[in-house]
Amino acid sequence: MLLRIEDLHISYGQVRAVHGVSFHVEEGELVSIIGANGAGKTSILNAVMGMVPSSSGAVFLEDRDLSSMPSHMRAREGIRIVPERARVFPWLSVYENLQTGIYGMRDKIDLEEKLSWIYSFFPVLEERRDQAAVTLSGGEQQQLSIARALVSEPRILLVDEVSMGLMPILVDKVFEVLQHLNREYGLTILIVEQNALASLEISHRGYVLEAGNLVMEGSAEDLMEDSGVREAYLGL
Ligand code: ATP
């Protein structure tokens, strides 16, 4: 098991957002956590990354307990997040944003080699290499955000609501690239999404999150065939 989360609880003051969630991701898997607005998806990813504190619970990468490790150390261990709404550095160029992806890494990474690989599936980032990131469209910023996470050769990529605010055609394109990275390069990916159909379609397994609790898990196929999931999350 590459990533294992045990009995995670997250509170913001009096607001209890996540109530004892346990799940795992195997090496080479693409796993989705689907759930409605406010279910706690972002909180879970941020806690895995160490960006919000958990009130209790544990995060293991392989058998190492990372629970007390700050987020920059977790990044060094190979966990990388593509945050909600991309969050690129607006006034840095595309290239400079990509450079920040390898900042602080323990092993020396050949950025140019990584970039020629990344440009092969995000060619627009090469075309816009010297432009400030703020001039990119929402979809291009999402591509940049994914690319910045990829340059560090992550062991697991956490992807937060990547479809938000994107036109359907771009959602398809971004999900296609994530699937390609997983199937062709074996990249382990954990996605949290409101767009349950798009994310389950490319996933091996999924979990359903309701009001801070995981209420269902299964193969992506089984979840997509479940009548409750179809009605509540797939609009079918
Ligand atoms: P969304 O799709 O809207 O991002 P989500 O499933 O990712 O939803 P979270 O953002 O994790 O859900 O929020 C879970 C719950 O925690 C919600 O009730 C939210 O209002 C609350 N919450 C999140 N962040 C904070 C915060 N910083 N302070 C107080 N409450 C918060």
Side-chain angles (χ1 to χ4, degrees):
M1 239 177 251
L2 184 60
L3 181 75
R4 183 159 53 94
I5 308 305
E6 271 183 13
D7 198 27
L8 184 69
H9 291 255
I10 304 168
S11 297
Y12 303 96
Q14 298 298 313
V15 181
R16 293 177 61 230
V18 173
H19 315 284
V21 155
S22 301
F23 63 94
H24 70 275
V25 183
E26 305 277 354
E27 185 136 34
E29 259 193 324
L30 200 166
V31 173
S32 287
I33 299 178
I34 60 168
N37 202 347
K41 303 180 298 298
T42 298
S43 300
I44 290 175
L45 274 205
N46 287 347
V48 173
M49 194 70 239
M51 300 192 306
V52 302
S54 49
S55 28
S56 63
V59 174
F60 294 91
L61 188 68
E62 287 184 317
D63 283 328
R64 288 190 62 202
D65 186 352
L66 308 189
S67 311
S68 55
M69 216 182 244
S71 55
H72 70 278
M73 292 294 291
R74 296 188 196 196
R76 247 189 225 186
E77 295 299 321
I79 306 180
R80 283 284 162 146
I81 192 165
V82 178
E84 203 171 344
R85 293 177 226 277
R87 303 244 180 80
V88 294
F89 296 105
W91 302 108
L92 295 184
S93 70
V94 167
Y95 183 73
E96 287 164 339
N97 266 278
L98 293 167
Q99 279 180 314
T100 66
I102 57 168
Y103 178 76
M105 293 308 293
R106 203 182 293 129
D107 300 324
K108 196 163 159 29
I109 288 171
D110 184 341
L111 182 64
E112 298 309 321
E113 185 192 316
K114 278 268 145 245
L115 289 182
S116 62
W117 173 63
I118 284 168
Y119 293 152
S120 70
F121 43 82
F122 290 142
V124 74
L125 299 181
E126 186 170 25
E127 289 157 26
R128 311 261 152 110
R129 188 178 188 277
D130 299 316
Q131 277 178 229
V134 70
T135 65
L136 302 183
S137 70
E140 290 162 353
Q141 291 191 16
Q142 279 293 11
Q143 294 177 35
L144 177 56
S145 182
I146 295 170
R148 184 179 57 188
L150 287 179
V151 292
S152 66
E153 300 175 347
R155 302 198 59 196
I156 180 163
L157 191 67
L158 312 176
V159 182
D160 191 357
E161 213 86 60
V162 75
S163 73
M164 193 190 279
L166 296 187
M167 289 185 303
I169 187 166
L170 286 174
V171 173
D172 291 346
K173 151 99 181 143
V174 168
F175 278 94
E176 231 170 68
V177 170
L178 291 175
Q179 185 175 35
H180 177 73
L181 288 165
N182 173 258
R183 303 298 196 271
E184 298 300 316
Y185 298 99
L187 179 66
T188 308
I189 303 178
L190 173 63
I191 294 178
V192 304
E193 260 298 337
Q194 272 185 62
N195 190 335
L197 186 58
S199 60
L200 287 177
E201 270 177 344
I202 63 164
S203 295
H204 297 111
R205 283 192 307 117
Y207 294 87
V208 179
L209 184 70
E210 275 179 19
N213 295 292
L214 288 176
V215 294
M216 210 188 276
E217 69 170 285
S219 71
E221 252 169 40
D222 287 350
L223 289 179
M224 283 190 288
E225 277 168 19
D226 180 89
S227 58
V229 172
R230 289 169 73 85
E231 201 174 307
Y233 296 101
L234 305 182
L236 299 170

